[in-house]
Amino acid sequence: MSDNTEKLKELLAEVIDLRNAAALLSWDQHTYMPPAGAEARGQQLATLGKLAQIKFTSDEVGRLLEDLKSEFKGIDEYTDDAALVKVTARDYDKAIRVPPEFVAEQARVTSKALEAWVEARKKSDYSIFRPHLEKVVELIKRYITFFPPSDHSYDVLLDDYEPGMKTADVIEIFNTLRPKQVELIKAIARQKPINDKFLHGDYNQNKLVDFAIGIATQFGYDWNRGRQDRSPHPFSTSFSMNDVRITTRFEPHAPINTLFNTMHESGHALYEQGVHPSYERTTLMGGASLGIHESQSRLWENLVGRSLPFWEYFYPAFKKKFSSHVGNISLKSFYKAINKVEPSFIRVEADEATYNLHIMLRLEIEIGLAQGEMDVKDLPEIWNSKMKGYLGITPPNDAKGVLQDVHWSGGSVGYFSTYALGNLISAQLWEVINRDLPDLDDHIRKGSFEPLLTWLREHLHVHGRKYEPQVLVQKITGSKINPTAYVKYLTRKFGEIYNL
Amino acid sequence: MSDNTEKLKELLAEVIDLRNAAALLSWDQHTYMPPAGAEARGQQLATLGKLAQIKFTSDEVGRLLEDLKSEFKGIDEYTDDAALVKVTARDYDKAIRVPPEFVAEQARVTSKALEAWVEARKKSDYSIFRPHLEKVVELIKRYITFFPPSDHSYDVLLDDYEPGMKTADVIEIFNTLRPKQVELIKAIARQKPINDKFLHGDYNQNKLVDFAIGIATQFGYDWNRGRQDRSPHPFSTSFSMNDVRITTRFEPHAPINTLFNTMHESGHALYEQGVHPSYERTTLMGGASLGIHESQSRLWENLVGRSLPFWEYFYPAFKKKFSSHVGNISLKSFYKAINKVEPSFIRVEADEATYNLHIMLRLEIEIGLAQGEMDVKDLPEIWNSKMKGYLGITPPNDAKGVLQDVHWSGGSVGYFSTYALGNLISAQLWEVINRDLPDLDDHIRKGSFEPLLTWLREHLHVHGRKYEPQVLVQKITGSKINPTAYVKYLTRKFGEIYNL
């Protein structure tokens, strides 16, 4: 290792320490912090964020990166140290483009926008949120101007979450996907609805959480390097590859979601627990992109957790534990119930067949706003007409429509599509995994997830942020991100379930 | 507020944010952190500590303090801004005297010494710890040389925990106290031992913790600005005056300690919750000294929590809840049992009458080491002979003797005496409180702690670190720290209990 590399790692280690400390403060805020602690916590987070930013964007880091770029010229960009320089330079180049005053202004605007959004959603009154969203969109447009012009102004936003991914690629993917998913749900709508009443009973919260933790343990979640807590919104977070945590939410109106939420967050956590230990305290720690991260959570939640082999193993125990709810429900009926397709207003409650349509709707609106082709004032109407077009339903009010997601209030424009990309990637991976592990279903049927986790570790997790998402998917599956595998998966799975 | 004051507060706010963030990381380490997270956590804490130190000892802070000292010349040093400058300058002057290399060396030495101490205590083998303790003592002696010469070399160490307090004062106080306490426990030893067998049963852990939380709530602990968790060693900590937490330990061999531990930590927490809100994010936040802090914890634990009026209120509920243990035990017998005096080897388990003797023994050894009048190799022998002299018992091994406390392994020399000073101060305060609130016992007998808490808030808590401990005690009680009130308290209380 060159002196420069060593020096860079030293500087990065402090930046990462600050970011990880901030992540713990944030975890605590969502789990255990007493209510009155919020103001001081906000100040502490702001201070840590500011110091991390100052340290990361220092001239010293800039000079080192310049020197190292020359030093590593001609060397395979995916050797560890070369990749470290590349990824760090990518982050650095972005970070120095955005003026600190802009960051401060965005913090102020979004803090007020968040408050307004909470009130607007509560009252289902878009007019409360609209002026704030207008300011947010103005900031987003200004943010784009800090970067060199690209084919598509939305590229700048997307690139923050899916490095190297282009808006044109996403649009092309979604254009292929959309008609197939619309067609599928129309065909399903013509079939007899599945009965899932028994999933909505008065399940015991602690027993469900225990069952969920049991599943995560069987997946291979390393509790020596992680833990599980409750929070109003489930999430996963990490402060080192040896401290990766998840939270679980219990939803009284949909208790079974406790299991799927936990599997979802475990998928994220297994990824972070599997990154190469030598990337600790460097910018290579973490996931390649939000889309790749989501591929892991969705893989464990859906391709594993909503599969028949999975429940062939777990259902006997589940039935025994929750006999008053599912004592006389067959495995087949249970399996169908947890996969019931039903167009609904709320994205986070959507089933596998309809979920991506929620995403496409948002992406189209985000692009429209970024390009200046849509006006904030028209969003409720645009939203509702797209819902009608894609899902065949019209929200009864804006709380269940355009006001449902928190993201825009926080200035987070550009990452909805990663949720859908994650689904596509998970299916692409699944095809390759099943080719490499032809008896995977049998393993799952026996409750053995070790071959699957080992495969994911070796092919994906270990690389952390080293590869750009498209490069990584290409390397593992032989193709770029595309919807073929996912469409095939959906068609077969729901074709069977709904006798299409 | 002058521009300089404002600027100073701005700089301090960031330092305090970093320290509070570190305190949360430390809280998490002792409560929820998964085992494998320790290494990364150590690095994060080191980074936060280093950055806080760099920011605090910056030339800018130094210059501002110089300017402000001139600016505030002639102004009452106990007005808020003047006190801020004075306290900050005191901290600053100490911080800049100690070279960073020394801090780093001390961290290395004590980290190894801690490991050695753990092993030595486990094996009860002083020879494992001795070479490390020798290094620690060498560092302590070097540390003293960074400061201007004082009457007593131990003054430097003591001053870090009890600002302004002199070794000579402590020695004088202890010289008065020692013979009285020795005499008292000798008199008690001649009486019939108290039966406390019923306190050592198989108490239900959760029920005891719930009861303890109930007491803390009744004391006035504001849960909107705090919380309680479990940890191997009970402690209190704060990240703002609006987020002050305690932890509780359940000890199977002494379950009743759960109650007293919780009252003790609540006492610390009530102090921090009561500091003036305008001191938030400044060096005036927190307690005046360790001794003053301990006066609060011991006051709630002992003067309140081991008093008869307290149990006149709580015992009926306790008896009902734990009827299988104390169903046929009278209030009087229970009260005597929780106040049983019995010389024992372990400080943290000592009763009120013997506790201070443990402290004196340690102080004498610390002074001996700091002055170079005692040799590390002789400590076990010195320890045992002092134990025999003060408490009349000889430890069966070094694990129960010289190896029992963790403090020295961490380089913490100078603060044992604050534990004893806390006891003395609590009794001094108690006399004044009872003069100001003549019906305090009646209030406590009715479970009303509001008058007491209000008094403590107004007279003590609100001041934070503004006053030096001696000045504060003088201001509140009219005298400096002295043993008279405590001796009177002990003599009366145990005189009644033991019919002396």
Side-chain angles (χ1 to χ4, degrees), chain B residues 280-442:
Chain B
E280 191 80 292
R281 295 180 97 203
T282 77
T283 48
L284 294 183
M285 185 47 69
S289 71
L290 286 199
I292 301 288
H293 233 305
E294 196 71 8
S295 80
Q296 296 309 290
S297 56
R298 301 290 280 183
L299 186 147
W300 289 99
E301 176 193 358
N302 290 330
L303 289 117
V304 174
R306 291 188 211 262
S307 75
L308 194 54
F310 176 91
W311 286 105
E312 284 177 45
Y313 176 76
F314 277 107
Y315 194 57
F318 185 84
K319 197 167 172 171
K320 204 168 154 194
K321 208 157 185 178
F322 302 97
S323 57
S324 64
H325 301 285
V326 294
N328 51 11
I329 303 295
S330 72
L331 168 64
K332 207 62 184 274
S333 303
F334 180 80
Y335 169 68
K336 284 186 174 183
I338 59 168
N339 283 295
K340 181 176 183 171
V341 174
E342 193 168 38
S344 62
F345 303 115
I346 305 297
R347 175 184 61 86
V348 296
E349 294 171 5
D351 53 75
E352 279 185 273
T354 57
Y355 188 89
N356 284 346
L357 294 169
H358 288 268
I359 299 304
M360 293 177 206
L361 177 161
R362 284 158 180 75
L363 176 72
E364 289 159 22
I365 292 177
E366 288 190 350
I367 292 177
L369 292 172
Q371 304 267 68
E373 289 161 359
M374 282 184 200
D375 198 294
V376 168
K377 78 170 181 332
D378 303 323
L379 289 199
E381 203 183 312
I382 295 172
W383 184 286
N384 292 351
S385 93
K386 284 186 187 286
M387 276 299 277
K388 183 75 190 161
Y390 299 163
L391 289 159
I393 55 177
T394 308
N397 55 48
D398 288 340
K400 294 198 165 181
V402 68
L403 289 171
Q404 71 181 260
D405 281 317
V406 69
H407 306 58
W408 292 338
S409 76
S412 302
V413 173
Y415 86 80
F416 269 123
S417 55
T418 68
Y419 290 140
L421 295 177
N423 286 328
L424 308 191
I425 299 164
S426 72
Q428 287 181 265
L429 292 171
W430 200 242
E431 279 192 353
V432 185
I433 295 167
N434 276 279
R435 203 183 56 209
D436 287 358
L437 305 171
D439 50 358
L440 179 62
D441 274 2
D442 287 335

Side-chain angles (χ1 to χ4, degrees), chain A residues 14 17 28 32-37 40-41 43-44 47 50-51 55 224 226-227 239-240 242-243 245 281, chain B residues 14 17 28 32-37 40 43-44 47 50-51 55 224-225 227 239-240 242-243 245 281:
Chain A
E14 287 197 343
D17 283 345
D28 179 71
Y32 295 118
M33 191 187 76
R41 185 56 48 86
Q43 292 161 336
Q44 291 151 8
T47 294
K50 188 180 136 190
L51 292 179
K55 286 204 158 275
N224 191 43
R227 54 177 287 116
F239 323 121
S240 122
N242 291 317
D243 191 349
R245 308 185 185 184
R281 295 179 97 204
Chain B
E14 287 198 343
D17 283 345
D28 180 71
Y32 295 118
M33 190 187 76
Q43 292 161 338
Q44 291 151 7
T47 294
K50 188 179 136 192
L51 293 179
K55 284 202 160 277
N224 191 44
R225 304 192 286 132
R227 52 176 291 116
F239 323 121
S240 124
N242 291 316
D243 191 349
R245 308 186 185 185
R281 295 180 97 203

Side-chain angles (χ1 to χ4, degrees), chain A residues 69-84:
Chain A
K69 276 193 265 183
S70 321
E71 222 175 90
F72 282 103
K73 200 157 256 169
I75 293 177
D76 175 2
E77 59 178 316
Y78 297 112
T79 54
D80 279 355
D81 283 352
L84 175 71

Side-chain angles (χ1 to χ4, degrees), chain B residues 179-191:
Chain B
K180 311 243 183 208
Q181 290 211 227
V182 170
E183 188 189 328
L184 177 68
I185 63 167
K186 276 189 183 153
I188 289 172
R190 286 188 293 269
Q191 304 303 102

